[in-house]
Structures are given as structure tokens and as C-alpha cells.
Amino acid sequence: MAKLKNSGGTGARNKEDRMKEAAELHLKTGNIRRYCELKVELGEWERALAVAPGVSHAYWKDLANRYSRFLMREDKDCAAVFCTAVGDTEMLVDFYASRGQMSDAVLTAQVACEGLIPSNSDAHNQMGTSNGYGEPSEKQIQLLQQTVEDWAAWHLWHGSPILAACCFLAVDNVQKALGKLIQGNELELAVATGTVIGNLQEYTSVAIEMLSRRCERLGKWELAVDLLHQVPDNKTLLARCCSRCALSIDEINALHKKAHLPSVADCFNEAEKLKRRNDTFECVLFYLLSASPEIGIDLGLDYVKNTLKTSDWTVDDVFFMLQQLGSVRTDALQIHRKKGELLAVCAYIGALVAIRRGYYSIVQPLFQHSRQLICNESFIDFGVSESAIQSQCTAWNVVHTAQPQEPVNVDIIPAEYKPVYVKLQQRLGEEPNKILVGSDCVSNTHLPSHSDIHISCLTGERIQGLAYFLEDGKSAVSANEALMWAKVNPFSPLGTGYRINPF
């Protein structure tokens, strides 16, 4: 027994020793590839890489690529060295991004575009850049754009919209830079940037319009009109601004004059003429500017209801009119018999606009708000029933929960929700203002909450950063929710008919 035990303890060689001997034998017989593979199995990557060129350069690159992936799984800093050596820029960018080193990721993508890192495809065929000369490939440009996009999104969601805009300005993407500033409600900076750089009047105009709304909130109506004069085709915007003004008649007439609009009395006469011509949009606009805005509400709502009762309507068929009606003076709306109807249809269409703009956090609250208004006043009928709104809300919620990322794969939607969801998508249409696509995130929304805790009346979640208080002085929503709500529905979530202006 002692002899058996002794032979088992000292004579038996373990697997590692046998693999080492096998590797040496393969090397002596000239089988370098097998030697390298055994060294890899033993964890001796560096020895394998040192000998791998004896097989071929391609084999060395493959082995170095495998080693870099191994190091990435182990989260080793030296993974970057081997990614660079083999020219796998995409993997190196992913490695830095996974560690939150976004500046290094963007630097790597930029260096690759400048040809200072040879790519895999350029090892034997120099089609792209080389040592800074030539043009970057399409793949390299896309990698840089996507990396900058990710870096900007990281800054935005960490409460730094200005840094997010700077990311896009660094690669001359002014359009998306303005978009990030608008999402962060940095309106003055967005207007200044768009004005100085130029050639982006369409996007600058969006920022100017929102900045004019801020002036309205501060009571600076003349400044709001001055800003809107910088926007091309500004007649409608100026009319909406003036129709929201609730000052004295003399002050309103003075504002009309500054906006190059007729006086209040003349606006009524003009509306009467337009009514006889069946020019509904202009007619509603001038009635809202007159001393009889209630007539404009009736005409506008009739137009919206008739449109919604057709079978092939889309959001764009009614949203423009609802934006007009949303500019009615608050005092005039409060006494109008169809106030609830207007609020309900604005909330419903607002939910559809929120879907196509990606304001997902307020979609369900908008649907629910519309349903609640309909239930509270049984005579409301604008062409879409309460049950239809509920069905659309449920279908969207089910699909969005299962597939939060666009585009949605319609084929895997549950059969009971598919018809409703497909029809809903047809109603949405395509968002014309691409700069408004994407959730808002202002700079204070990631700050710690104050000791005085506030709960959002839309989502029931605790509000981080500054809260936006509604007209009752008690109910609050987050700054992000308030901004997105105001961009798709001008009226307060409390259903009072008061406007919401968080700009």
C-alpha cells in the first residue's frame, strides 16, 4: 500500500506538465501553430504571440484578436494595446465605452478616421487613410458619428446638455448640437449658436419660438414679438402669441401693431370675411385674435371632430389646428361650454405626438388624462371613444414594454394587440421637426432632491431636482415632464383649462 501510494504521489504527472511537454515536442517538430494553441490553453498568451508570426501574420493577428477579447472579459487595461495592434478600432471603442471612458472612445474613433490606426481591412489593401492621408472609410465615419452620439447622450442624461452639444459641435454636426440644447432647455444658447453659425434657420426657429414662450411667461410680450420677427413665415406664430395675451385692449392693440396684425376689432371683421370664403384655418386664427374667440373655438373644434370621424385621418391633419386653438385666452376658455371637449382632444392627439417624438414617459399620462376628461363629462364626443383610447393605450404599452427600442418588430406583437397597434402607427405619421425628437433632460433634473419631497402627479414618482408646480400651487411634475407635456399639449395636466408654460 505504501509503494502504491508513493508511485501515485510522485510518479504521476499532472495535465499541465504533460501539456508543456507536448508543446515543446510540437515546437521541435516544427508544428508552431499547435505549440501556440497549447500555450494559449496554458494561459501563456505572450509566449504564443511571440512565436505566432512563425506561422503567418494573419495567424498572429487572429491570436492577438483573441487575446484582446480575453483581456476585455477580464477588464484589463492592456486590452487596448492589443486592440490597437490588430487595428480593431470598433472593438477598442466598445471597450472604452463599456468602462465609461467615452472621451477615450471618441478619441480612438477620431484617430481611426485620420488614418493613424490601421484597420483590419487596410492591412493588405490601403483603400482608406494612411498616416493621415486620404479619406476615411464609410465604416470609420459611421463609427465616429455613433460614438459621438453615445457620448452626447451620456452627457445629456447626466445633466450636461451643453457638453452634449459640444460633442456634436466637435464633429461639425450643428443640427444635433441645437437639438441637445433644446432638449436641455438651454434656449438662449441654442438661439445664439444657430444665429452665429447660420444655415440652420429651420432649427434655430424652433429655439426662437420656445424662447418667445419664455418671454411670455415672464410677461415680456413685446420681446416675445421681437424674437418671432426673426423667424421666416412668422405670421402664424405672431398671431398665436398675440392671441394668448390677456392684457388690456389698448395694450393688446399695441402688441398687434408691433406684430403687424390688425386691431382687435379689425380682426373680427377679417374673420367674418374669411368665414364666408370657407378659409377655416385663417378664420379661426383671426377669431382668436378678436374679442370673440369663442366663435373660433367652435369652428376649430368642428373642423377637428369632422376630421377625426373620417377613416384615414393622421395626426398632422388636426395637430396644426389644435395648436391654434391652444392659443386661446384662458379667460375666454374658462367660460366656454366646450372647454372639456377641447382639453380631451388636445390630450389625446398630444399622446400620439408624444409617441412619434419619443416622449415615452408622458404617453400613458396623456392617454389617461384624455379618458378621464371624457368620463367626467359624458357629452364629450370628438370622434374617438373612450374605449378606443383605452385600447390604443393598452396596445402601445404592451408593445413598448416588450420592445422599448425602435424599430418595433410587428411580426412578434401579440395577435390581440396587433391590429390596434398597426392602426395607431398609421395615425401617427412622421414627425416633421426632427429636432424635437427625443426626451427632454434639463440640467437640474439629476440633482439630489430637496428635503421637501415632491411626487409627480403624472407618474407618481419622486421628483429629482427642481419641481415644476402647476396652477393650484400644490401639484407638481418634473421639469422634464413639464417641458415634454407643453410641447405636445398646451393645457395643464390638472384639466382646468389653464396653459402650462415651463419654458
Side-chain angles (χ1 to χ4, degrees):
M1 290 292 292
K3 184 176 180 180
L4 182 62
K5 182 177 181 181
N6 184 55
S7 65
T10 60
R13 294 170 299 178
N14 60 33
K15 181 180 179 181
E16 184 177 342
D17 290 335
R18 292 196 299 270
M19 289 177 66
K20 286 181 179 180
E21 288 187 8
E24 295 300 326
L25 286 173
H26 281 295
L27 184 62
K28 290 175 182 179
T29 58
N31 192 349
I32 301 176
R33 181 186 291 269
R34 185 56 186 156
Y35 170 82
C36 293
E37 294 299 332
L38 287 171
K39 284 298 181 182
V40 168
E41 290 186 45
L42 290 166
E44 299 178 13
W45 286 92
E46 289 81 0
R47 285 179 177 269
L49 287 167
V51 180
V55 180
S56 68
H57 177 74
Y59 177 69
W60 173 84
K61 283 194 71 172
D62 178 67
L63 197 60
N65 196 293
R66 288 160 54 190
Y67 186 38
S68 62
R69 293 182 184 277
F70 169 78
L71 292 173
M72 286 175 64
R73 289 194 298 270
E74 298 292 320
D75 198 28
K76 301 289 186 182
D77 291 338
C78 55
V81 176
F82 291 92
C83 287
T84 304
V86 299
D88 197 335
T89 310
E90 190 171 347
M91 184 165 64
L92 181 54
V93 168
D94 290 340
F95 172 65
Y96 281 136
S98 67
R99 306 178 91 194
Q101 297 174 242
M102 296 304 302
S103 59
D104 290 329
V106 172
L107 177 61
T108 300
Q110 180 63 47
V111 166
C113 276
E114 294 175 2
L116 302 178
I117 299 179
S119 66
N120 283 324
S121 60
D122 291 339
H124 302 290
N125 183 21
Q126 298 292 335
M127 294 296 291
T129 60
S130 179
N131 295 326
Y133 295 96
E135 293 295 329
S137 66
E138 187 66 28
K139 186 175 181 181
Q140 289 171 331
I141 294 174
Q142 290 177 355
L143 179 62
L144 177 60
Q145 291 174 343
Q146 185 58 53
T147 307
V148 169
E149 186 92 35
D150 294 341
W151 197 20
W154 186 89
H155 278 306
L156 182 67
W157 293 114
H158 285 78
S160 301
I162 296 176
L163 290 179
C166 289
C167 292
F168 285 115
L169 289 176
V171 293
D172 295 327
N173 194 334
V174 184
Q175 175 184 337
K176 289 192 175 181
L178 292 180
K180 294 303 175 187
L181 291 173
I182 290 174
Q183 283 180 273
N185 206 33
E186 300 288 346
L187 301 178
E188 294 92 344
L189 194 53
V191 172
T193 302
T195 302
V196 170
I197 295 177
N199 300 323
L200 285 169
Q201 187 61 58
E202 178 183 354
Y203 305 105
T204 307
S205 297
V206 174
I208 291 175
E209 181 186 352
M210 293 181 183
L211 188 58
S212 73
R213 294 292 306 280
R214 179 177 294 177
C215 293
E216 291 180 23
R217 178 171 59 85
L218 298 173
K220 300 181 182 296
W221 292 94
E222 291 187 354
L223 182 57
V225 169
D226 287 336
L227 280 170
L228 292 175
H229 276 307
Q230 300 178 35
V231 178
D233 301 323
N234 56 12
K235 179 182 177 181
T236 300
L237 294 177
L238 287 167
R240 290 177 186 171
C241 175
C242 292
S243 64
R244 286 190 289 263
C245 184
L247 301 176
S248 66
I249 290 293
D250 290 339
E251 290 172 312
I252 292 175
N253 280 329
L255 192 66
H256 280 211
K257 184 177 181 180
K258 190 176 185 66
H260 306 309
L261 292 170
S263 66
V264 172
D266 290 339
C267 283
F268 180 81
N269 296 331
E270 183 67 22
E272 289 289 303
K273 293 178 183 177
L274 291 166
K275 187 176 181 181
R276 289 191 290 270
R277 298 178 194 166
N278 293 322
D279 190 342
T280 308
F281 285 101
E282 290 287 309
C283 180
V284 169
L285 194 66
F286 279 97
Y287 270 127
L288 294 178
L289 287 166
S290 73
S292 303
E294 64 278 359
I295 304 176
I297 296 176
D298 289 333
L299 286 174
L301 273 177
D302 288 342
Y303 172 86
V304 171
K305 288 192 291 185
N306 291 334
T307 303
L308 294 180
K309 288 177 181 178
T310 61
S311 60
D312 56 349
W313 64 269
T314 64
V315 167
D316 291 324
D317 294 333
V318 295
F319 188 54
F320 182 77
M321 177 61 80
L322 290 175
Q323 286 180 303
Q324 305 275 70
L325 296 176
S327 301
V328 65
R329 294 197 311 273
T330 302
D331 59 325
L333 182 60
Q334 292 300 316
I335 58 175
H336 199 280
R337 69 186 190 284
K338 293 184 178 180
K339 180 182 79 170
E341 196 168 277
L342 177 59
L343 300 183
V345 70
C346 281
Y348 171 65
I349 298 299
L352 303 189
V353 178
I355 292 174
R356 75 180 190 181
R357 289 185 181 176
Y359 302 165
Y360 298 134
S361 62
I362 64 167
V363 171
Q364 195 161 340
L366 280 163
F367 274 131
Q368 292 174 345
H369 183 54
S370 180
R371 289 181 56 240
Q372 184 179 9
L373 289 167
I374 294 174
C375 293
N376 290 345
E377 300 183 38
S378 57
F379 60 85
I380 291 179
D381 178 20
F382 56 82
V384 183
S385 66
E386 185 270 336
S387 59
I389 296 174
Q390 176 60 48
S391 299
Q392 293 175 9
C393 180
T394 303
W396 177 85
N397 195 39
V398 168
V399 175
H400 180 68
T401 302
Q403 302 183 64
Q405 300 297 326
E406 297 287 346
V408 171
N409 186 353
V410 180
D411 295 333
I412 64 175
I413 297 177
E416 62 268 32
Y417 302 112
K418 188 173 180 178
V420 177
Y421 185 82
V422 170
K423 189 65 175 178
L424 178 63
Q425 292 299 311
Q426 293 172 353
R427 301 286 195 211
L428 297 182
E430 187 175 352
E431 176 57 44
N433 289 328
K434 300 299 182 184
I435 200 170
L436 295 176
V437 175
S439 299
D440 290 335
C441 188
V442 300
S443 57
N444 66 51
T445 51
H446 286 277
L447 296 174
S449 300
H450 191 267
S451 57
D452 187 11
I453 297 173
H454 300 289
I455 303 298
S456 170
C457 66
L458 295 181
T459 62
E461 298 177 359
R462 180 173 175 171
I463 297 173
Q464 284 187 284
L466 296 176
Y468 179 83
F469 289 93
L470 301 176
E471 61 271 17
D472 63 354
K474 298 177 181 179
S475 304
V477 295
S478 72
N480 296 337
E481 292 166 349
L483 281 167
M484 291 185 287
W485 185 285
K487 289 177 182 178
V488 299
N489 179 12
F491 298 112
S492 165
L494 297 183
T496 58
Y498 285 86
R499 257 185 300 274
I500 178 171
N501 185 353
F503 301 102

